[in-house]
Amino acid sequence: MPRKTDDISPVQANYLPVKNEEEHLLTTTTEIAEKIASEHGLTKVQGKAVVESVLAAISAASISGSEPSLPGLGQFKVKATPERDARNPATGATIKVAAARKVSFVPAKALKDALNK
C-alpha cells in the first residue's frame, strides 16, 4: 500500500510507516544504520557509525543541559525532578528518592500530525 504524501513534505514522508510485507518498520539502531547505509552507498559499519555519532551528539548535548532539536521530528528536553518520598511496596517502608534530571521527548507538530492521520 503506497504512502499518502500529498499534503506533507518529503522529510515528513520519511517518518510515515510502511505498511507492506517488503519493508518493515525500523525498530533498532542496527536497522536504521542498515537503511542509511543502503540509501547513501555506505557500508553497514559506516552507517552504524553515523547513527552512533548522532545519538552520541544528542546525549552529550542533553548531559550539558542544552535541548537538542531535530526539525520535523522533535526536541529532547532536560527536566529536573525534585527529591520525593516513596513507599517500598514489599515492606511498606518510606524511602527517599533522590532528585534527578531526566530527558523527555516532545514530538514536532509534523510528527504529531503524521501520527494522528
Side-chain angles (χ1 to χ4, degrees):
M1 172 179 188
R3 298 186 231 190
K4 181 175 184 242
T5 58
D6 300 338
D7 50 344
I8 60 174
S9 74
V11 172
Q12 293 167 332
N14 287 332
Y15 300 126
L16 292 177
V18 176
K19 296 182 180 178
N20 64 31
E21 289 82 35
E22 295 166 6
E23 293 187 54
H24 67 280
L25 302 177
L26 302 176
T27 57
T28 66
T29 55
T30 301
E31 290 172 342
I32 294 169
E34 288 173 359
K35 182 170 174 71
I36 289 171
S38 68
E39 289 181 356
H40 296 283
L42 304 171
T43 66
K44 289 181 182 181
V45 172
Q46 291 170 325
K48 183 82 170 178
V50 168
V51 172
E52 288 175 351
S53 293
V54 169
L55 296 177
I58 290 170
S59 296
S62 296
I63 290 168
S64 72
S66 64
E67 297 179 342
S69 178
L70 301 173
L73 185 63
Q75 183 176 19
F76 295 88
K77 293 191 175 242
V78 179
K79 296 181 179 179
T81 58
E83 182 179 277
R84 63 186 174 88
D85 291 330
R87 193 162 302 278
N88 181 334
T91 64
T94 301
I95 58 172
K96 291 269 187 206
V97 176
R101 294 189 317 161
K102 65 179 183 174
V103 176
S104 63
F105 179 76
V106 178
K109 183 179 182 322
L111 180 57
K112 282 193 258 185
D113 291 345
L115 286 170
N116 294 309
K117 281 196 172 199

